Amino acid sequence: MEITLVDKPMTREQVKAAASPYYKEVVKVVVDIEKKIMAIGGEMHADEEKFLLEYGSKQEDLWGINIFTDLDGPDMIEFDSIINVRPRTGNRSRGVEDAAIRERIVEVVGSLLQPN
C-alpha cells in the first residue's frame, strides 16, 4: 500500500490494510499535531515524514508512532520512532517525552480512527 494522507476518519479495516504488506498487526504512522492529520501506510516513519513535509507540514509538528491494529484507545499507540529523536528541542529518545504532545497525538489518532 502506498502512503495515504488521513484527514478524515478511517475504518479499522482500512488501518489493517495499511499495515500490509510490511507488517501484520502494527502500522507505522506519522501524526501532524497542528494540522490534525496523519500519514499511514509507509514501510518506515521517515517515508511518511517526507510525505507530510512535501504536503506542507512543519518538522516540529510531526511525530512517529506505531498503531497496533487489534487494540483500542490509547493502548493501540506506541510512541516509538527514530524521527522523534530531537535533542535540540529536548526530546532525546525515540519516544515522545512531553506528556502534552503525547495527549495531542492520542486526540488526533482518536479523531481519525474509528474504534473496533
Side-chain angles (χ1 to χ4, degrees), residues 44-46 49 64 80-86 91 93-95:
M44 299 185 330
H45 291 114
E49 177 185 45
D80 181 41
S81 174
I82 194 73
I83 72 164
N84 296 339
V85 177
R86 303 172 190 187
N91 203 84
S93 74
R94 293 170 50 108

Side-chain angles (χ1 to χ4, degrees), residues 67-88:
I67 293 179
F68 290 88
T69 59
D70 290 331
L71 300 176
D72 283 317
D75 291 339
M76 74 172 17
I77 300 171
E78 176 184 52
F79 301 96
D80 181 41
S81 174
I82 194 73
I83 72 164
N84 296 339
V85 177
R86 303 172 190 187
R88 70 180 173 2

Side-chain angles (χ1 to χ4, degrees), residues 14-98:
Q14 290 171 308
V15 174
K16 287 181 179 184
S20 178
Y22 306 116
Y23 308 99
K24 295 270 186 215
E25 68 256 345
V26 67
V27 63
K28 305 276 184 187
V29 177
V30 173
V31 178
D32 181 325
I33 59 172
E34 284 302 316
K35 291 186 175 189
K36 298 181 178 153
I37 58 174
M38 305 184 311
I40 191 168
E43 182 176 9
M44 299 185 330
H45 291 114
D47 300 328
E48 296 162 341
E49 177 185 45
K50 180 180 181 238
F51 176 88
L52 286 175
L53 289 170
E54 290 171 354
Y55 184 76
S57 292
K58 296 179 186 173
Q59 172 66 45
E60 62 267 18
D61 299 332
L62 300 180
W63 296 92
I65 62 169
N66 299 312
I67 293 179
F68 290 88
T69 59
D70 290 331
L71 300 176
D72 283 317
D75 291 339
M76 74 172 17
I77 300 171
E78 176 184 52
F79 301 96
D80 181 41
S81 174
I82 194 73
I83 72 164
N84 296 339
V85 177
R86 303 172 190 187
R88 70 180 173 2
T89 61
N91 203 84
R92 299 187 176 278
S93 74
R94 293 170 50 108
V96 179
E97 296 174 6
D98 185 315

